[in-house]
Each structure stands twice: as structure tokens, then as C-alpha cells.
Amino acid sequence: MLTKKQWEFCLDEIGKMFPDAHCELVHSNPFELLVATLLSAQCTDVLVNRVTADLFQKYKKPEDYLAVDIEELQTDIRSIGLYRNKAKNIQALSALLIEEFGGEVPADRDLLTTFPGVGRKTANVVVSNAFGIPAMAVDTHVERVAKRLGMNRWKDSPLMVEEKIMRWTLRERWTDTHHQIIFFGRYHCKAQNPACGECPLLPLCREGKKRMKHVG
DNA sequence: CTCCCGATAT
DNA sequence: ATATCAGGAG
């Protein structure tokens, strides 16, 4: 298992590799980020940004999403995939925002989690990026990197990963670290062909050492 | 656990 | 052809 000292070394190296890591979901207010993050489930952020470029011109407020038929919204986001669930959730969430929150996105992680289509990961992304509240969102990249390094057991839930990373990382660096791990996972420690051969973390990486041995 | 689902990389 | 993508709900 990875030690805390080794984890701190990893953060140092990953930070040097991706010093300007940031949120790649294009948005200009909390509501847009909430919608963009909901759309990003099982889909690349490049595809999300391609759709929201037009979507956010057409739909500015929660009322705008409720003013069209569900079929029209489905068509507007179809290329994203999972579009039926996502369209339904966006409309339900818009109605909830209007009825209960005056049309404003609440800056509260646990409250956001009760919204339709908004789980813990999406809520963490919104509060950290839109409101500056320290949070550690565990998506597919963060979970993969943490488990490859050997922070957790392979069967551990995303919540276990989240708690372990938060315990081992300075609170004021949670959001930064979150973005840097995502960039590391997306461009270096990739799902399909991870660049273990040129990885500074290889000497302490459980999965990396196993892979290098198997390859040659 | 299964289902939702189109676009892209491998 | 198959795997993966800033997951969430039933």
C-alpha cells in the first residue's frame, strides 16, 4: 500500500507535470457549470463543450429549459449520449431550482446531491469550481490513478478514495489536486495505454511496476 | 447489479 | 469490434 509520504511525492511530481491544470468544462456561472457537469457523465468534456457552445446561447435560465418540450431538449443534447436521462434530469432540476431556490444554484454539496441527476461527484465539481469550496471530486480518472498507485484496494468505493485523498492532502489544495490528477489521468496515466515507461511515479506505483514486468 | 447511449480512440 | 468517456438511478 502507498504511504502518505509517497503520496506527497506523487502530488509534487504530478503538479510539476501539469502546473496549469484547471476545469475544462466551459461555463460562465454556477448554473451553466451544473448543467455542463451533469452532461459530462460517461462523455468527454470536448463533446460537452461542443454541445454547450450552442446550448448556453439558447438556454440561459432554468425557465428556458422548461419552456421547451422534452423532445426538443433531447435533440439539442443528443450527441452527448444518455440524452433521455440527461434531458429529463435537467428539466426536473430546473423546476426544483425555481420552486425551492429562487432560480439560484445553492452552494451546498449535500443539498446538491439531492437534485435529480446530481450525485456526489457532480456536486463536488460544482461547489469547488463555482463557489471555491474545497472538495475532492472522484471521477473515473481520479479513481483509476489512485487505485493504480495503490492508495486503496481495488474494491473500494469512490467515497473511500475521496476520503483517503482528503485525509492525505492539505484542504486548501483539494481542488487544485483534483484538477492535476484529472489531467494526469487523462493525458499520461491513461485508461488504455498509460505511459508507465516515462512516468516519474513508476518506482512506487503498484500497477505500473506490474505492467512493466508483464510487457518486458 | 443493470440500464442509459453517442462519439472517439485503439 | 471493443473500450472508454469529468456518473447516476432503480
Side-chain angles (χ1 to χ4, degrees), chain A residues 50 79 81-82 84-85 193:
Chain A
R50 192 180 297 170
S79 61
L82 307 180
R84 273 180 268 257
N85 284 335
N193 291 102

Coordinates of all heavy atoms in Angstrom, one line a residue, chain A residues 50 79 81-82 84-85 193, chain B residues 4-10:
Chain A
R50 N -18.6 21.1 -27.0 CA -19.1 21.3 -28.4 C -20.6 21.5 -28.3 O -21.2 22.3 -29.1 CB -18.8 20.0 -29.2 CG -19.0 20.1 -30.6 CD -18.7 18.9 -31.4 NE -17.3 18.5 -31.2 CZ -16.8 17.3 -31.6 NH1 -17.6 16.4 -32.1 NH2 -15.5 17.0 -31.4
S79 N -26.0 14.3 -29.1 CA -24.7 13.8 -29.4 C -23.9 13.5 -28.2 O -22.8 12.9 -28.3 CB -23.9 14.9 -30.3 OG -23.8 16.1 -29.6
G81 N -24.9 11.5 -25.7 CA -25.2 10.2 -25.2 C -26.0 10.3 -23.9 O -26.0 11.3 -23.3
L82 N -26.7 9.2 -23.6 CA -27.5 9.2 -22.3 C -28.5 10.4 -22.3 O -28.8 10.9 -21.3 CB -26.7 9.2 -21.1 CG -25.6 8.1 -21.0 CD1 -24.8 8.3 -19.7 CD2 -26.1 6.7 -21.1
R84 N -31.7 10.9 -23.0 CA -33.0 10.9 -22.4 C -33.0 11.2 -20.9 O -33.7 12.0 -20.4 CB -33.7 9.6 -22.7 CG -34.4 9.6 -24.1 CD -35.1 8.2 -24.4 NE -34.2 7.3 -25.1 CZ -34.4 7.1 -26.4 NH1 -35.3 7.7 -27.1 NH2 -33.5 6.3 -27.0
N85 N -32.1 10.5 -20.2 CA -32.0 10.7 -18.8 C -31.5 12.1 -18.5 O -32.0 12.8 -17.6 CB -31.0 9.7 -18.2 CG -31.6 8.3 -18.0 OD1 -32.8 8.2 -17.9 ND2 -30.8 7.3 -18.0
N193 N -3.6 3.1 -22.8 CA -2.1 3.0 -22.9 C -1.4 3.9 -22.0 O -0.8 4.9 -22.5 CB -1.7 3.2 -24.4 CG -2.2 2.1 -25.3 OD1 -3.2 2.3 -26.0 ND2 -1.6 1.0 -25.3
Chain B
dC4 P -31.7 0.6 -21.7 OP1 -33.2 0.6 -22.2 OP2 -30.7 -0.1 -22.5 O5' -31.3 2.2 -21.7 C5' -32.0 3.1 -20.8 C4' -31.1 4.3 -20.5 O4' -30.0 3.8 -19.7 C3' -30.5 4.9 -21.8 O3' -30.8 6.3 -21.8 C2' -29.0 4.7 -21.6 C1' -28.9 4.6 -20.1 N1 -27.6 4.0 -19.6 C2 -26.9 4.6 -18.5 O2 -27.4 5.6 -18.1 N3 -25.8 4.0 -18.1 C4 -25.4 2.8 -18.7 N4 -24.2 2.3 -18.2 C5 -26.1 2.2 -19.7 C6 -27.2 2.8 -20.2
dC5 P -31.2 7.1 -23.1 OP1 -31.4 8.4 -22.8 OP2 -32.2 6.2 -23.9 O5' -29.8 7.1 -23.9 C5' -29.5 6.2 -25.0 C4' -28.3 6.6 -25.6 O4' -27.2 6.6 -24.6 C3' -27.8 5.7 -26.7 O3' -27.2 6.6 -27.7 C2' -26.7 4.9 -26.1 C1' -26.1 6.0 -25.2 N1 -25.2 5.5 -24.1 C2 -24.1 6.3 -23.7 O2 -23.9 7.4 -24.3 N3 -23.3 5.8 -22.8 C4 -23.5 4.6 -22.2 N4 -22.6 4.2 -21.3 C5 -24.6 3.8 -22.6 C6 -25.4 4.3 -23.5
dG6 P -27.5 6.3 -29.3 OP1 -28.9 6.6 -29.4 OP2 -26.9 5.0 -29.7 O5' -26.6 7.5 -30.0 C5' -26.8 8.8 -29.6 C4' -25.5 9.6 -29.6 O4' -24.7 9.2 -28.5 C3' -24.6 9.4 -30.8 O3' -24.0 10.6 -31.2 C2' -23.6 8.4 -30.4 C1' -23.4 8.7 -28.9 N9 -23.0 7.6 -28.0 C8 -23.6 6.4 -27.9 N7 -23.0 5.6 -27.1 C5 -22.0 6.4 -26.5 C6 -21.0 6.1 -25.5 O6 -20.9 5.1 -24.9 N1 -20.2 7.2 -25.3 C2 -20.3 8.4 -25.9 N2 -19.4 9.3 -25.6 N3 -21.2 8.7 -26.9 C4 -22.0 7.6 -27.1
dA7 P -23.2 10.8 -32.6 OP1 -23.5 12.1 -33.1 OP2 -23.3 9.5 -33.4 O5' -21.7 10.8 -32.0 C5' -21.3 11.9 -31.1 C4' -19.9 11.8 -30.7 O4' -19.7 10.7 -29.8 C3' -18.9 11.6 -31.9 O3' -17.8 12.5 -31.7 C2' -18.5 10.1 -31.8 C1' -18.6 9.9 -30.3 N9 -19.0 8.5 -29.9 C8 -20.0 7.7 -30.4 N7 -20.1 6.6 -29.8 C5 -19.1 6.6 -28.9 C6 -18.7 5.6 -27.9 N6 -19.3 4.4 -27.8 N1 -17.6 5.9 -27.1 C2 -17.0 7.1 -27.2 N3 -17.3 8.1 -28.1 C4 -18.4 7.7 -28.9
dT8 P -16.7 12.7 -32.9 OP1 -16.3 14.1 -32.8 OP2 -17.2 12.0 -34.1 O5' -15.4 11.8 -32.3 C5' -14.9 12.1 -31.0 C4' -14.0 11.0 -30.6 O4' -14.8 9.8 -30.3 C3' -13.0 10.6 -31.6 O3' -11.7 11.0 -31.1 C2' -13.1 9.0 -31.6 C1' -14.0 8.7 -30.4 N1 -14.8 7.5 -30.5 C2 -14.6 6.5 -29.7 O2 -13.8 6.5 -28.8 N3 -15.5 5.4 -29.8 C4 -16.5 5.3 -30.8 O4 -17.1 4.3 -30.9 C5 -16.6 6.4 -31.7 C7 -17.6 6.3 -32.8 C6 -15.8 7.4 -31.5
dA9 P -10.3 10.6 -31.9 OP1 -9.4 11.7 -31.7 OP2 -10.6 10.1 -33.3 O5' -9.8 9.3 -31.0 C5' -9.8 9.5 -29.6 C4' -9.2 8.2 -29.0 O4' -10.2 7.1 -29.0 C3' -8.0 7.7 -29.7 O3' -7.1 7.2 -28.7 C2' -8.5 6.6 -30.6 C1' -9.6 6.1 -29.8 N9 -10.8 5.5 -30.6 C8 -11.3 6.1 -31.6 N7 -12.3 5.4 -32.2 C5 -12.4 4.3 -31.4 C6 -13.2 3.2 -31.4 N6 -14.2 3.0 -32.3 N1 -13.0 2.2 -30.5 C2 -12.0 2.4 -29.6 N3 -11.2 3.4 -29.5 C4 -11.4 4.3 -30.4
dT10 P -5.5 6.8 -29.1 OP1 -4.7 7.1 -28.0 OP2 -5.3 7.3 -30.5 O5' -5.7 5.2 -29.2 C5' -6.1 4.4 -28.1 C4' -6.3 3.0 -28.5 O4' -7.6 2.9 -29.2 C3' -5.2 2.4 -29.4 O3' -4.4 1.5 -28.7 C2' -6.0 1.7 -30.5 C1' -7.4 1.7 -30.0 N1 -8.4 1.9 -31.1 C2 -9.5 1.0 -31.3 O2 -9.6 0.1 -30.5 N3 -10.3 1.3 -32.3 C4 -10.3 2.3 -33.2 O4 -11.1 2.4 -34.1 C5 -9.2 3.2 -33.0 C7 -9.0 4.4 -33.9 C6 -8.3 3.0 -32.0

